[in-house]
Amino acid sequence: MRSKPSEPTLIRALCRDCGEVCFGSSIARLHVDADSGTARMSFPCPKCGVRGVVALPLPVVNQLRRAGVAIRLLTRPAEADEAHAGPPLDELDAADFARLLEQPGWEAHLQQR
Ligand SMILES: [Zn+2]
């Protein structure tokens, strides 16, 4: 038996409220964490509409990938690991900054690397 590519693959998952529900793969979204390799699927429940998230083992991920489910790779931005000490900028800081940029010679204050 050959399945046509246009035929939607049905996915079964558990909704927290409705129990087991069935839906087409086109409404499911896969997220793979780039660091841990953990895969999760989020889907809107066809019965109650609440979005559910389930963890997926790798064989299931590959199966869904073949079925054409879009996979998003989640990566942590490098900025997330930077230490941010000190208070956040407020409006006065921004106003000062804008004023300083209007003065000639501000480039001299840039840090040399
Ligand atoms: Zn539901």
Side-chain angles (χ1 to χ4, degrees):
M1 198 176 107
R2 245 191 305 163
S3 63
K4 288 173 231 147
S6 59
E7 213 170 283
T9 306
L10 288 178
I11 298 174
R12 256 191 300 242
L14 281 179
C15 170
R16 217 175 35 185
D17 295 326
C18 313
E20 194 175 86
V21 290
C22 208
F23 49 88
S25 61
S26 57
I27 64 168
R29 266 185 271 166
L30 286 186
H31 305 271
V32 177
D33 188 294
D35 291 330
S36 63
T38 317
R40 285 189 184 83
M41 176 181 69
S42 73
F43 61 97
C45 173
K47 283 186 187 167
C48 68
V50 170
R51 186 163 283 277
V53 179
V54 290
L56 294 177
L58 191 63
V60 180
V61 174
N62 290 331
Q63 201 183 333
L64 291 176
R65 192 189 311 219
R66 277 197 298 271
V69 178
I71 297 183
R72 279 193 56 192
L73 198 63
L74 299 181
T75 50
R76 260 168 79 81
E79 287 81 6
D81 295 323
E82 289 176 2
H84 295 278
L89 291 179
D90 59 18
E91 284 170 30
L92 288 176
D93 293 325
D96 280 347
F97 185 57
R99 193 164 38 85
L100 289 170
L101 282 181
E102 283 165 9
Q103 294 173 0
W106 60 267
E107 302 91 344
H109 298 285
L110 290 179
Q111 216 171 26
Q112 299 293 319
R113 291 196 184 224

